[in-house]
Amino acid sequence: MNRRVAWVMLAMALGPELAAQGDVTARLAGRVPPPIAAAVSALADSARARGLPVAPLVDKALEGVVKGVPADRILPAVRTVLDQLDAASAALRGAGVTPAGDDAIEAGGFALAAGLTPGDIGAIARSADRSHPTAVALQVAGALAAMGVPRAQTVGLVRGAIQSGRPVGDLVSLPGQVQAAMARGAPPAAAAAGLERAATAHQAPRPHGQGKGEGNPHKP
Amino acid sequence: MSQELDLPPALRPEVEAARRHVSLSPEIEARVMAAVRRRAAPPQQRAWRWLTAPSLPPWSLLAAAAAALLAFVIFRPASVGSPGVASPRATAVGPESVYVRFILVAPNAREVALAGTFNGWDPATAPLSRADTAGTWTVTVALPVGQHQYAFIVDGRRWVPDPAAPAVDDGFGRKNSVVSVSAAQGRIL
């Protein structure tokens, strides 16, 4: 038994953490002024310690620098992203999604940025299932909200698509359908209402005992 | 000193010779060291000896294991873990990527580039090509599954959101466009 074995074990345990820190530093190096890079690295450490993804923080810092934003406005924007990720993570935890993956937390953070609330995030996450993953459902919801579909309609459309048991492709196609209707001149709310009516009209009765999210056998 | 005085006279030249410093030529030294290296244990064997050489009492290994476990619990990556009750999340992330074609109509532009979260906001990696004389600019990019924010940069200084995509505030007073690439059927939201 020796001290060297102990060092190797510690290195193995801390390896992924150190690699992640190195990744943040490497992405910022040479592109972001050192004071901002140091502050973003500290925020990334804080995010990582809370189980949050750090890539969106680095992306926001890079975006600010590339867009020529003054340094004193970059860090607040990065902090806002961190707060959104934190709120999304808490909402997912409250909905029983533990552990929430980075993709779900990022999608939740984006949905919050698009105008949804933590309650909306939780409601959508609770309706997700194996065939309609939380991350995909939240990405769809965020896209709908970003198009201007009202919150309640957004949540209703996404949950309705999941609970109907239709394939995930139908869920994923919702923003495209809304956008097509908007291109024909419909306001976002009206476009979403049209989809709700269509979904209700085409709702086929589900066979007894069919599990949620396993797909509707009557629909190709 | 007294011992030397006791030496028989016949042995004294031999002792003097033994006391003289002997120096080897560099060639001999190099040959000897090369032979030593050839006989050395292979790297794997030396590494194993290094690891297993005893230097601590047995209870130290238990302490090290506990420290490693504690460090892992504190610093583990967020993605470690099994699927949760309501979050079967394995299908959303993967190596899949989808080719996405971006189009911007900018008749007066001299150059257009695309920057977003998928390329580290580096416009140099995704310049658009003018597709026709009407001012349609396009580029096709392989995007990994997930959600991405982006914008066009016209003439190297003007940031323009994609008029054909949903947009969100970028936190800097402008808008970013959003594209979501799903593993399900390679769809774009």
Side-chain angles (χ1 to χ4, degrees):
Chain A
M1 311 312 163
N2 70 58
R3 184 180 293 128
R4 290 161 183 162
V5 170
W7 280 115
V8 170
M9 291 177 68
L10 275 173
M12 289 171 69
L14 293 174
E17 169 70 8
L18 296 174
Q21 285 176 342
D23 183 50
V24 169
T25 306
R27 288 194 66 198
L28 296 171
R31 297 191 63 194
V32 175
I36 298 178
V40 172
S41 291
L43 288 174
D45 289 343
S46 167
R48 198 179 294 111
R50 284 183 270 171
L52 303 175
V54 300
L57 309 180
V58 177
D59 285 335
K60 186 54 68 179
L62 291 173
E63 177 188 351
V65 171
V66 171
K67 287 182 173 177
V69 176
D72 61 349
R73 289 177 55 203
I74 292 177
L75 280 180
V78 174
R79 283 198 195 93
T80 299
V81 173
L82 177 57
D83 291 344
Q84 287 164 347
L85 294 173
D86 216 0
S89 176
L92 291 170
R93 220 170 25 248
V97 184
T98 51
D102 284 359
D103 51 344
I105 296 173
E106 286 184 34
F110 167 72
L112 290 173
L116 297 185
T117 67
D120 298 333
I121 305 296
I124 291 168
R126 273 189 289 272
S127 67
D129 58 30
R130 188 172 297 278
S131 301
H132 305 84
T134 305
V136 174
L138 290 175
Q139 287 174 4
V140 170
L144 290 171
M147 288 174 180
V149 176
R151 276 181 41 225
Q153 272 184 300
T154 293
V155 175
L157 268 178
V158 172
R159 296 190 69 186
I162 294 171
Q163 291 167 349
S164 70
R166 295 195 302 268
V168 67
D170 284 14
L171 169 68
V172 169
S173 71
L174 286 177
Q177 294 181 56
V178 169
Q179 195 155 21
M182 289 171 63
R184 291 191 295 270
L195 287 183
E196 287 174 321
R197 282 194 299 274
T200 305
H202 292 98
Q203 183 78 43
R206 296 167 68 182
H208 179 71
Q210 181 185 336
K212 149 177 114 159
E214 295 305 314
N216 186 339
H218 300 293
K219 188 175 175 63
Chain B
M1 185 66 75
S2 61
Q3 289 175 342
E4 279 187 30
L5 294 176
D6 296 338
L7 283 173
L11 291 180
R12 286 182 183 171
E14 301 296 332
V15 172
E16 290 298 322
R19 281 179 174 166
R20 278 198 295 271
H21 178 70
V22 177
S23 60
L24 298 174
S25 71
E27 291 80 14
I28 293 176
E29 192 171 337
R31 280 208 305 274
V32 170
M33 290 309 297
V36 169
R37 288 192 188 100
R38 274 198 304 275
R39 294 186 182 194
Q44 299 90 336
Q45 196 173 336
R46 277 182 281 151
W48 178 247
R49 280 188 202 151
W50 183 84
L51 279 173
T52 55
S55 60
L56 286 179
W59 55 264
S60 296
L61 182 61
L62 292 176
L69 181 61
L70 182 64
F72 181 77
V73 168
I74 292 173
F75 295 113
R76 65 182 172 179
S79 57
V80 171
S82 55
V85 174
S87 178
R89 38 179 271 267
T91 58
V93 175
E96 305 94 341
S97 35
V98 174
Y99 284 105
V100 179
R101 190 178 189 208
F102 294 88
I103 300 173
L104 180 71
V105 178
N108 298 322
R110 291 188 307 278
E111 61 179 20
V112 180
L114 175 70
T117 51
F118 45 82
N119 64 0
W121 291 97
D122 185 358
T125 63
L128 277 73
S129 303
R130 187 188 281 270
D132 55 33
T133 54
T136 303
W137 297 77
T138 69
V139 66
T140 301
V141 179
L143 296 187
V145 166
Q147 203 155 33
H148 310 280
Q149 297 188 29
Y150 67 97
F152 296 109
I153 306 100
V154 176
D155 294 337
R157 54 186 169 76
R158 195 157 55 90
W159 289 81
V160 179
D162 188 342
V168 291
D169 286 335
D170 69 352
F172 304 121
R174 298 192 182 101
K175 292 280 188 184
N176 282 341
S177 301
V178 179
V179 58
S180 301
V181 179
S182 169
Q185 305 167 354
R187 300 286 290 269
I188 303 171
L189 302 187

